[in-house]
Structure formats: structure tokens, C-alpha cells
Amino acid sequence: MSDYFDADQPAVDLTNCDREPIHLLGRVQSFGFLIAVSSDWIVSHVSENIGAFLDIDPDSLIGEPLARHFPQSVIDVVRNRLQSFVNRSSRERLRDVPFEDQNRSFDMTVHVIEETGTIVLEMEPARPSDMAEEELLLVRNALPRLSRHDSHRRLCQDAARYLQFITGFDRVMVYQFLQDGAGEVIAEARQSRLDPFLGLRYPASDIPKQARALYVRQPIRVIADSSEEGMPVLPKRTIDGRPIDLSSSILRSVSPIHLEYLRNMNVAASMSISIIIDGKLWGLFACHHDSPMVADHVKRGVAEMFSELFSLMLSNRLNEEERRSDEEVQRLTNTFSASVSPDSDPIESMFPVLKAISKLLSADGFAVVLDNDRRTSGLTPEPGDLQKITRFLNTASAHTIFSTHKMGEVFFDNDGVERKPAGLLAIPISRSPRDYIIFFRREIVKTVTWAGNPDKPVKAGPNGERLTPRESFASWQQEQRGLSEVWSNKDLRIAEQLRLVILEAVLRFTDEVARERKVAQERQELLIAELNHRVRNILSLVKGIVSQSRGTNLSVDDYIGILDTRIQSLARAHDQITKQNWSAASFHRMVEVEAASYLGESKERVRIVGDDCLLEPEAFATLALVIHEMVTNSAKYGALSASAGHVDITTRMEENGFYSIDWLERGGPAVKAPERRGFGSTIVERSIPYELKGQATVDFELAGLHARFELPPRHVKPAPVQAKKEQAKKNEKATAAKNDAPLEAAYAPSRFLVAEDNLILAMELEDLLLESGAESVDVASNLSDAKAIASKSELDFAILDVNLGSATSFPIGEILAERGIPFGFATGYGEELKVPESLGERCCISKPYDRDTVRGLIRDVLELPRRQTE
């Protein structure tokens, strides 16, 4: 904390927050109860509130076999689950465990206290989750969207939105721990009525050391009600005089200091999920709610799984940045190493490389100290100060890279003398005598915005002085002087690479270089082994979550890209059939849309002639995937990969009712059959015979691929007359032109409510509105959250999914109508909208959402009152 306070300010050295035994409070939150048993199933502890859930006296349990009070079926379920524990730190969830004798069911969490072997059962009344088990696939569906971000901040922002959608918390933040121990909110998803916390910093003391250690051991923490201090666990102490260790408990009560902290922030409930990278706590997902709330078992499980996947993605992004940096450093140092010879001046040989490295480090100057020679470039200290710095560095280990962003405090005790460099990164390049390369950074005077004054007040109490939670979280700004930018882990990696190369080059002809080279080789082998280990873990986990075809050689990124194009192809197919109220749609039109989506202005190179047909919905999606694979394969390997190549598609309604499709490629490279059949080939050759009971043949002719498909009569019917087809195209163009026309200023809502129970559709619609100029978009996935937003928030427009899970959105429409807020409906069923009479005439669009349909909905809703009066 000394980085952020003036030197003359009285220092507070109270560490009771860091010493507070938050895992030994001996209390649990009252939304559940706890029973602890020994390895032979004798009850050792029970929470005092068990009687509120079961007809059992807590005093009668202690010291008794659990089987006298619990059904044997429940004990057997727990025993079986204990067998699957990987280690003693595991924690298992069991859903809807029945207590038949009490006619009740409970959700249960089981863990084992590692030190004593005590089995801890934590039980909550079984809550019906508002998300079905199959919706765990939401995690899988979110992966392609998250993986497309190159920036880790964009990745964090989408992750916060995702967690807010599935958990229902008012606010979800991504909180990153900085190198000085403080934390910063780098991403946030919130209800629009809440003040933003994005960009605020919190001092290191807000999350003490022991709390961070628990976040590494158990990555999820639930606080259901900040106004409750918890229920005692009996007995208060074990036979050896110690309270029960609740480190791994999900019900573990909360420190009074932290409860006071939450209440000061107006937070009634919270949930924190750890973001762990390389075994270290990188940050947290912090979820806040303004009323008491308990996330059910399903939501907690989804949130925890998502956090693990997100941590892997984030680690991958950071590792990729480090890899690119390592390659650049390697390129520069290889040049230097090759140019050094026994006859050359080593410092002169270093300077060109050091100037380039200085740019990579964002340094403003550097100094080389070699034997008694000192040479500098750019912004460096005075010679006397440089000598003092060198003597100080000599007190450290010979191989230690030292960095600081506050030189005045570290080297000169803030003696009041103004010095230009404020940051230093020192790289030792020999053992004896001590030689160094030292990079310097200039002072950066900047203003840091804190969430309240980070200087916690001190109060006297019965146990002496203690730090108290801040009572205000209003933005509090503080000017920092005498500091440079903090040296990052990436900077330290560059320094270590440079140290190893310099040692090898400059000391090449000494015994020292042999030892240093061996150390460098061992470190490199260790890094390679660690990298291989991480890559294997990531690929194994992604393979388990995202199902892909066995035997492919695609990278994860390539697979996600292919998966994304296939999903987009299905979305386009779905869009075409939903626009026809889920009825048969044109095959010719589907080919045109697919060609335009993939080829753009070159779509005319795919030529289709012959009889059109209307494909039934169940066949339309299958054909869409087949045509998608045919177009993409042709663009990669076939006729469309050459500038003069083209594809001719001839279609015919046969007399026997079958519909034939003849695909012929010409003008491309010579064709040869692939050596193996991938997932795309399987779709082309097997999906029509297997799913539609039709026929498919593919011939790899030398002049160009030739394929033929036949569809049985039950999947096709003749297309309407050509005049109707042309008129439909004209109408479609006219609608697009109308929707492309700019909205008048009065027709430009900026604050939106989106009620949508499908995560991917909700996020896509939110992005579409924000890209179109919306100021804020509140997203709700269920009826209760949407009604709360509709009642409290300032809104200009709302788009309501007709069916929100098991409920309809009509009650939300009633609230909006009463407040005079315009709104429209969306449906995924392609049916005519029927609304209650009290809502009157309302506009509706079909899913999936796109820019034109959404703009058209807004325009129609806002123009509806005028049309009704005409």
C-alpha cells in the first residue's frame, strides 16, 4: 500500500485482516445445513439450524451413527460418490437427493477435510432450476464466440455478459489482480440502473491473503444474504480444542468485516468464481445482486465449468502474446550472438540489439556495466546515481533479475532529489565481477481512480485496533508521482531471454559459459515440457466439451472456424424456412444464399438452372449443410479455387416424383480423390442417404468433380410459378431498401430491454443493437428478471421473446404498455402472433435476428400508432 500514499502520511501496519481465520468461523449460512461425520460415519458436527429442514434435534445427532437418523439410501449415494474423488480436495455435487421418510429432497455438496478425513455433507432444499440440464450445452455454444477475440479484454467482457445471462445477477465483473496486489475491474455486465464499476481499482487489503488462498483451493464462493451472520456449528470445538475447518465448505459463513463491506456497497448477495492460470489466482468473476439470492446447483456448476474453460482460453491468449514476444527476442539475440567474436568490442556489439530490446520493453534508456566500463543510451541516471544503483544490485543473488517501478523509494529513500528515471530493470550478465544491463523508464504522473478512499480507517475495539471496511465506494482519485509503469511478466521473460543469450555470447570462451549454457538448456527443456503439458490439457478439455470427428488433424482454431461456418449455414437455412412460417422453402434460393454468403461478388460463378422445388423443413437443413460443404470444398480445392472456374448445377423434377440435383465443376485444377474421408465428406456422401433415404454419388473426374443427389418425393414439392418467385424477390428487395433507410431522430431509441431465453440469440441481438447506436441494452433470460427491469429501468424500446422458458412475455408487455414504452415481440415458431386483447395490435418478427428484421420491427412499432389513426 506504500505505493499509493504520501511519505509523510502515518503508516498503518495492522494485519488483522490478513490474520483473520475466515475458515474457522464455526458458522454456516442459513440457506442450508451441515453435517460432518468421521470415516466410520459417526456424526461429529451438525449446524444448529438442521431442525429448520429436517425433523431432527441437533443435540441428538452428535456422537451417534448417521444411519440412525438418515435413510440408508442417502448414505449409500454419498458412499458411492466418495469413490469417485480424485483427491481429498475434491468437492462433489448431488442433485435432488430424496429423503422419503420426510417427503423432502435436497441438493447436496460433499467434501472431505484433508487433515482429519472428516466427511462433510452440506444440504440445501432442492430448488427447481430455471435452466434445464441440457442447457449445460450453453457452455459449448459460447466457446466459438469467445474464441474469436484477439484481445483478452474483449474476451473478458463477453465472458461477463455470458455469466450474467445464465446466473441472473444484477452485476457481473471481471476483477484482475495487479502485480502490486491491488485489483481492477476490467470488464462488467450490469443492469442499466446500476452505477458502473468498470475501471475502478480496489486496494490489496480488500481481498486478504487467506481469502485469496481459499479461492485457489475452492474456486466458487456463494454469499446468499449479507445481512445474515450465519448459524453456529455444534460443537464449537473438537475434542482437541479446535473449531471445524470449513475451508472447502460452500455454506461457510462470512467474516463480519466482509459482510459489512458488502452492505456498504449495497450488495445483498454475491457469488465469486476464481480465474486461475498456471495454478495462481489471476482474478475473479464477481457477481453482485441487490436482494438476497442463492444460485441453484445447476447454475453454480455451469458457472464453475465456464470459469475453468475461460481460464484456459485466457491463458492461451496470454501465452500467444508471450510466444510472439519470445520469437522477436530470439530473432534479435540470434543476430547479436552470431556477430560477437573474441576480437570485437562486446558492448559495441550489444548496442544495436539493446536498442531494439529497449523498444520491446517500452524503456526510455539503458546502461551497460561491464568490468569497469559504463556506457549509456537514452534516459539514464547521473553517473554517481548509477554507481550507487550498481552497488545496491551487488547485494542480490548473482542470477536474480531485479525490477522496480519506484527507484526513488528503493535506492534513494525518497531523499527529495528529482531524478528523471523512475523505473529500473536490471539483468545480471556475469557472476564475478558483477556486470549488468539496466533498462530505465521515465516517471509517469497519472491519476488512479479507486472505489472509495483506499486508506481504511482504524477503529479501537475490545480486541485493540483493527481496520474497518470503507463506508463509501464513490470514485476517489489519487495522483501518483515518482512512479513508472510496472514491469510486467512479459517484460521479465524478455529480460530472462536476453540474460541467457548475453551469457552465452559474451562468456563463450570461459568455464562460466558452459555452466550457464547447461542451465539455459535445462530451463528451455522445462519450458517446452510445461508448454506441451498445457497444450495437451487444453486440447483434452476442449475435445471433451466440443465434440469433433475422430481422426481429424485440424487444430482447435481451425475446427472452431469450420464449426462456425457450419452453424452459420444452418442459421441461414433456418432463417429461410422460418420466414415461410416453417413451411417448405426454395432450393434454388438456398443455393443462391449460400453462394452469396461464401463467395460474395463472385457468387455468379455458381450457376443453377432447371426446375426449382420447395424443400420440406426437415430436408432443408440437411441439404443446406451438403451445399455448404460442396461450396467450401470447391472454393478450397475445386473449380472455385481458380479464377476461371465455375460450378453448374442442373435440377430436375423427375416423373417418378424424385428431385435430382446434378453438380458439375469445370475450369479448376486437376482433381484427385482425397486420401481420407473427413467430416465434410461424410456430410456430403452419407447425410442424404441416411437421413432422407435418398441417393448421393460423388465422382472425382480429372476435369472436375461431378456429384449427383436424388431426393425422395416426400421431401419435395413443385415450386410456385416464376412470376410469384420474381415478385417475392422484388418484395424482399423493397423491404431491405426500406429497412436500410435511416431512421428519423424521433425514431431512434437508445435504451433497450431484450427478453430472450437463448443465450446465443440474446448476445447476438445485444451486439446488433449496440453496433446500431444503442446506449444500453438490459438482457433478461426469464420472466421475473424481465419484469423487474421493465418496472424499474429507464427504457425507450423492448424486444420480447414470446416464450420465455415455461412462461410467456405477455406480463412484461402489460408493464411496458402501462408505462408507455414501445415494444415488439419475437418468435421462433413462425406462427401468427396472438396476444391478449389488453395489449391490442402488436408487431412481431421471426427468429433468428438480423439487422434488417430488427430495424423493420422498430420502425413498424413506432409507426403503428400513426397507421392506426389513418
Side-chain angles (χ1 to χ4, degrees):
M1 294 175 64
S2 58
D3 290 5
Y4 303 102
F5 298 99
D6 297 332
D8 58 352
Q9 184 173 0
V12 176
D13 188 22
L14 298 179
T15 59
N16 56 302
C17 283
D18 283 337
R19 297 198 306 269
E20 185 180 12
I22 60 176
H23 61 304
L24 301 176
L25 295 178
R27 304 176 76 87
V28 296
Q29 299 178 68
S30 64
F31 67 86
F33 65 93
L34 175 146
I35 294 178
V37 297
S38 60
S39 58
D40 55 353
W41 297 87
I42 303 297
V43 177
S44 62
H45 292 83
V46 62
S47 61
E48 192 177 72
N49 65 331
I50 187 173
F53 300 91
L54 295 173
D55 188 17
I56 297 176
D57 178 12
D59 291 330
S60 67
L61 269 173
I62 299 172
E64 291 283 327
L66 184 63
R68 292 184 181 176
H69 302 272
F70 268 38
Q72 187 61 43
S73 60
V74 174
I75 297 175
D76 291 341
V77 169
V78 176
R79 286 180 187 273
N80 291 337
R81 187 58 63 93
L82 287 172
Q83 301 301 317
S84 66
F85 273 29
V86 178
N87 53 57
R88 285 289 184 90
S89 64
S90 297
R91 186 165 63 187
E92 290 288 324
R93 295 187 180 92
L94 293 83
R95 289 202 63 219
D96 206 19
V97 179
F99 278 61
E100 296 177 354
D101 59 333
Q102 306 234 4
N103 197 27
R104 302 193 65 179
S105 295
F106 292 89
D107 292 336
M108 184 183 300
T109 306
V110 183
H111 75 271
V112 178
I113 299 176
E114 191 168 1
E115 183 179 359
T116 62
T118 301
I119 302 165
V120 180
L121 314 179
E122 298 177 89
M123 304 173 67
E124 313 163 36
R127 298 178 180 87
S129 176
D130 60 6
M131 61 189 313
E133 291 285 356
E134 57 266 20
E135 288 188 63
L136 291 172
L137 294 175
L138 288 173
V139 174
R140 171 182 172 181
N141 293 337
L143 290 177
R145 179 184 181 88
L146 293 176
S147 66
R148 72 187 184 185
H149 294 307
D150 292 331
S151 163
H152 75 276
R153 286 185 177 262
R154 289 290 304 278
L155 174 65
C156 291
Q157 182 60 40
D158 255 10
R161 292 165 58 195
Y162 173 83
L163 276 183
Q164 187 195 30
F165 185 91
I166 64 167
T167 62
F169 279 89
D170 291 334
R171 184 196 309 271
V172 175
M173 298 172 286
V174 177
Y175 178 93
Q176 179 185 359
F177 292 114
L178 306 179
Q179 286 182 288
D180 59 7
E184 181 180 359
V185 179
I186 64 169
E188 178 184 43
R190 60 182 173 85
Q191 299 291 351
S192 62
R193 68 178 185 276
L194 302 177
D195 293 332
F197 285 177
L198 185 64
L200 293 184
R201 287 195 179 186
Y202 296 78
S205 56
D206 276 14
I207 303 180
K209 294 178 182 178
Q210 79 276 26
R212 299 189 194 201
L214 288 179
Y215 276 125
V216 174
R217 290 182 56 184
Q218 297 298 337
I220 191 164
R221 178 71 166 121
V222 175
I223 301 174
D225 188 348
S226 63
S227 66
E228 175 205 300
E229 294 188 357
M231 305 299 296
V233 176
L234 304 176
K236 292 184 178 180
R237 298 187 181 278
T238 60
I239 198 168
D240 59 1
R242 295 187 299 175
I244 185 172
D245 184 347
L246 298 178
S247 299
S248 300
S249 168
I250 196 70
L251 293 176
R252 174 167 51 87
S253 189
V254 186
S255 158
I257 294 178
H258 188 62
L259 288 175
E260 185 180 348
Y261 177 95
L262 291 176
R263 292 194 294 269
N264 290 345
M265 291 183 71
N266 295 319
V267 174
S270 75
M271 182 170 72
S272 303
I273 310 110
S274 305
I275 302 172
I276 299 172
I277 295 180
D278 298 336
K280 297 179 181 179
L281 188 64
W282 182 90
L284 297 171
F285 286 108
C287 310
H288 289 172
H289 209 64
D290 62 8
S291 60
M293 174 179 176
V294 180
D296 60 55
H297 266 218
V298 175
K299 287 183 179 179
R300 296 204 295 257
V302 171
E304 193 169 351
M305 178 190 298
F306 174 75
S307 180
E308 292 176 3
L309 291 173
F310 170 81
S311 298
L312 290 170
M313 283 188 169
L314 181 61
S315 176
N316 191 41
R317 292 289 177 278
L318 299 176
N319 287 339
E320 178 63 20
E321 293 176 4
E322 290 182 352
R323 183 191 63 79
R324 289 195 295 265
S325 174
D326 290 348
E327 289 177 350
E328 178 62 15
V329 174
Q330 188 67 46
R331 184 187 65 80
L332 293 171
T333 52
N334 283 346
T335 303
F336 163 70
S337 182
S339 64
V340 172
S341 68
D343 300 327
S344 64
D345 181 344
I347 297 183
E348 286 297 326
S349 301
M350 290 182 195
F351 255 61
V353 172
L354 293 182
K355 288 182 178 179
I357 297 290
S358 185
K359 291 181 180 179
L360 283 180
L361 292 171
S362 299
D364 300 296
F366 62 88
V368 179
V369 180
L370 189 61
D371 293 331
N372 294 319
D373 195 355
R374 290 175 172 80
R375 300 188 210 175
T376 62
S377 174
L379 180 69
T380 57
E382 298 294 330
D385 287 346
L386 182 58
Q387 187 175 9
K388 184 176 180 179
I389 290 169
T390 304
R391 290 200 304 269
F392 182 91
L393 293 173
N394 287 340
T395 64
S397 170
H399 298 294
T400 300
I401 292 175
F402 178 83
S403 66
T404 179
H405 62 289
K406 44 187 177 183
M407 282 177 52
E409 178 180 328
V410 173
F411 295 107
F412 306 108
D413 298 323
N414 288 329
D415 55 13
V417 178
E418 183 180 352
R419 293 177 172 84
K420 293 180 180 179
L424 170 150
L425 175 62
I427 306 171
I429 57 173
S430 67
R431 178 171 297 181
S432 180
R434 295 291 180 85
D435 299 321
Y436 301 95
I437 297 173
I438 309 173
F439 293 94
F440 299 95
R441 283 178 175 172
R442 68 178 68 251
E443 176 191 36
I444 296 180
V445 180
K446 63 180 179 180
T447 300
V448 175
T449 303
W450 296 92
N453 188 338
D455 184 14
K456 290 187 174 182
V458 181
K459 286 187 179 180
N463 299 315
E465 290 186 323
R466 73 176 182 92
L467 294 175
T468 64
R470 293 193 305 282
E471 297 178 356
S472 172
F473 286 81
S475 297
W476 192 86
Q477 293 187 333
Q478 183 179 55
E479 187 180 76
Q480 295 183 350
R481 301 192 66 91
L483 307 176
S484 73
E485 288 290 347
V486 178
W487 302 94
S488 67
N489 290 330
K490 174 185 171 183
D491 298 329
L492 299 181
R493 283 174 58 86
I494 293 175
E496 177 64 16
Q497 281 185 276
L498 181 61
R499 186 183 79 87
L500 295 177
V501 172
I502 297 296
L503 281 169
E504 184 174 352
V506 176
L507 306 178
R508 183 180 299 162
F509 304 103
T510 66
D511 293 337
E512 182 71 16
V513 72
R515 290 191 293 271
E516 292 290 346
R517 184 182 293 119
K518 181 179 179 181
V519 170
Q521 182 178 358
E522 291 174 351
R523 182 177 287 107
Q524 184 180 32
E525 291 173 354
L526 180 63
L527 289 173
I528 292 173
E530 176 66 15
L531 177 61
N532 287 337
H533 174 71
R534 293 180 191 174
V535 170
R536 284 196 301 271
N537 284 346
I538 292 172
L539 291 178
S540 297
L541 183 56
V542 172
K543 181 179 179 181
I545 301 299
V546 184
S547 175
Q548 68 176 28
S549 303
R550 293 181 179 271
T552 66
N553 293 319
L554 297 174
S555 69
V556 175
D557 288 341
D558 288 342
Y559 175 75
I560 290 174
I562 292 172
L563 180 62
D564 182 62
T565 61
R566 287 171 179 157
I567 291 175
Q568 289 299 325
S569 176
L570 287 175
R572 289 190 293 269
H574 184 274
D575 184 44
Q576 292 176 68
I577 55 181
T578 53
K579 286 182 178 179
Q580 302 297 326
N581 291 325
W582 203 254
S583 58
S586 164
F587 172 71
H588 281 205
R589 177 61 180 155
M590 179 247 282
V591 173
E592 293 168 359
V593 169
E594 189 62 39
S597 299
Y598 198 87
L599 302 175
E601 295 180 357
S602 302
K603 64 182 180 180
E604 302 301 331
R605 295 168 61 194
V606 177
R607 305 181 297 215
I608 184 167
V609 296
D611 301 328
D612 194 6
C613 79
L614 297 181
L615 292 170
E616 296 296 341
E618 61 271 17
F620 198 95
T622 300
L623 262 293
L625 273 181
V626 171
I627 296 301
H628 170 76
E629 294 298 330
M630 295 294 290
V631 171
T632 55
N633 287 338
S634 180
K636 290 179 180 178
Y637 315 112
L640 297 179
S641 67
S643 59
H646 60 273
V647 175
D648 289 325
I649 304 173
T650 304
T651 59
R652 177 181 175 83
M653 188 69 73
E654 306 291 351
E655 293 182 359
N656 59 2
F658 277 73
Y659 187 68
S660 64
I661 305 167
D662 197 75
W663 177 290
L664 184 63
E665 299 187 18
R666 288 294 182 263
V671 174
K672 62 178 181 179
E675 297 179 358
R676 65 175 184 83
R677 291 291 190 269
F679 185 60
S681 299
T682 302
I683 289 176
V684 171
E685 297 177 5
R686 300 187 61 184
S687 57
I688 292 177
Y690 185 82
E691 297 183 22
L692 306 181
K693 310 305 179 187
Q695 296 183 6
T697 59
V698 180
D699 295 325
F700 295 92
E701 300 174 359
L702 186 63
L705 183 119
H706 183 199
R708 181 177 174 83
F709 310 102
E710 289 189 357
L711 306 180
R714 68 176 179 275
H715 297 301
V716 298
K717 60 183 178 181
V721 296
Q722 185 69 17
K724 291 184 178 180
K725 179 180 177 182
E726 293 298 327
Q727 187 60 42
K729 287 187 176 181
K730 292 180 181 178
N731 292 341
E732 185 176 330
K733 290 181 179 180
T735 300
K738 174 184 175 182
N739 290 336
D740 281 333
L743 293 172
E744 299 176 11
Y747 289 174
S750 61
R751 298 167 297 185
F752 286 83
L753 163 63
V754 170
E756 168 62 67
D757 62 356
N758 182 285
L759 168 66
I760 301 302
L761 292 180
M763 296 180 74
E764 292 294 342
L765 180 53
E766 181 183 8
D767 284 343
L768 188 152
L769 293 172
L770 291 173
E771 290 168 2
S772 299
E775 178 183 318
S776 65
V777 180
D778 284 334
V779 178
S781 62
N782 56 67
L783 183 61
S784 60
D785 288 350
K787 288 173 66 176
I789 296 171
S791 300
K792 300 177 183 178
S793 299
E794 294 296 325
L795 301 170
D796 300 322
F797 199 91
I799 300 176
L800 311 177
D801 184 3
V802 173
N803 292 285
L804 288 176
S806 59
T808 69
S809 60
F810 296 142
I812 309 168
E814 300 280 359
I815 297 172
L816 295 169
E818 184 177 347
R819 295 184 63 193
I821 298 171
F823 63 93
F825 289 100
T827 176
Y829 299 101
E831 59 189 15
E832 183 180 353
L833 179 65
K834 297 179 180 179
V835 301
E837 293 183 2
S838 58
L839 291 179
E841 183 181 351
R842 294 293 166 182
C843 300
C844 181
I845 57 173
S846 296
K847 302 178 189 178
Y849 303 106
D850 60 39
R851 182 179 63 88
D852 290 338
T853 57
V854 171
R855 286 171 62 90
L857 174 67
I858 295 172
R859 187 184 302 276
D860 290 344
V861 169
L862 296 178
E863 289 182 350
L864 184 60
R866 177 179 56 80
R867 295 200 306 268
Q868 290 174 336
T869 59
E870 291 178 349

